[in-house]
Amino acid sequence: MSAFDDIPDQLARLKQRGMYRRRRVIDSALAPEVAIGGGHVLNFCSNDYLGLANDERIRDAFKAGVDRWGVGAGASHLVCGHTAAHHELEEALADFTGRPRALLFSNGYAANLGTINALVGAHDRVFEDRLNHASLLDGGWVSRAAFHWYEHANIGDLEQGLAAQASHRTLIVSDGTFSMDGDQAPLDELVSAGRRHDAWVMIDDAHGFGVHGPRGCGLVDPARYGLADVPVLMATLGKAVGTFGAFVAGDEALIEFLIQRARNYIYTTALPSAVAVATLKSLEIIADEEWRRTHLQALIRRFRSGAERIGWDLLPSDTPIQPLVVGESGHAVALSQALEARGVLITAIRPPTVPAGTARLRITLTAGHSEADVDRLLAALAEVRETVAEGC
Ligand SMILES: *Cc1c(COP(=O)(O)O)cnc(C)c1O
């Protein structure tokens, strides 16, 4: 007998509770319509907000990047994996965000863990919004800093905690756009709370970068927020940018410090250089093609007014993330299956990703969708609302 013998029982319990996770196998490149299970469905669950993940120009850049640099980077950035392509991308990201420096990480999860851990430790405090992304929470927990939650977007609650006791360093950490709710952090209030309490603010703009702001600079628009307001800006490249990886942007000292101290930066293989080349092309497109953001905003308005008309309750979100909270996990899964039978792919998001009793359909819209796609989504939602609502 071993203490690990109950793993099959744990799996069985997850199944009973409707919390068992299964991966779906997709048989086509990412697009508004994807092949799955022998059929085709309209995809409303990717984070490819600008419809760039499969853009031909970015594909070509990626291929040219492979021809120029090969595939694997072969080492970490500090050994011999840091190429001119990575370096050029860091400079472009610094420009794009209006900050002196940027540091490329292999993914967003690593960037958040590495950055929070480098910045705070045993004698410090970290304050996190209750709905922060798992990677931000994990970063706070692993850092050994005193960990404080504050109620979602509740600055009064945050300030109470900040005032309670002083510490060496204090870091306030928040999603820019909350990944499962789609609402945006109260950035102005976070910045002034940081000021009043001598705390640094770190914003994870994974869902805002490329989607909001002039030329897609993100929520932390440099015209409004300086380095003193938001010293630590993090964003990912696997969502609106359509490639892979992540970065932190800030001042010279912050970036040099992360190079010395962020373990998730130091002890990991650099991204393939071709990803950097593809990302450079994507940044160009993001800045130039304002129509992608305009079109996306029009789709968001169309979806919201349509969903309200057929009686779905929406969360207060004007971002591409439009969740329908249904409550129980089983109900969310049943709805997701009913939608798939009607040709619409939306995954059910369940605890522990979201709080208990708030399982939901997390609908995401992208600039790749057409108005007709949104109308098909609305028609399917109207049908399942009638059929499934009775059974639950
Ligand atoms: C997706 C996401 C991450 C993780 O980024 P990856 O590059 O996918 O590892 C971090 N933070 C937030 C808010 C995210 O949504």
Side-chain angles (χ1 to χ4, degrees), residues 153-164:
N154 185 332
I155 301 299
D157 193 39
L158 167 63
E159 293 229 42
Q160 233 173 13
L162 287 168

Side-chain angles (χ1 to χ4, degrees), residues 107-109 112 133 135 175 177 179 204 206-207 234 236 239 245-246:
N107 60 65
Y109 192 97
N112 282 337
H133 188 265
S135 57
D175 277 31
T177 297
S179 49
D204 172 342
H207 301 277
M234 175 273 183
T236 64
K239 290 171 178 145

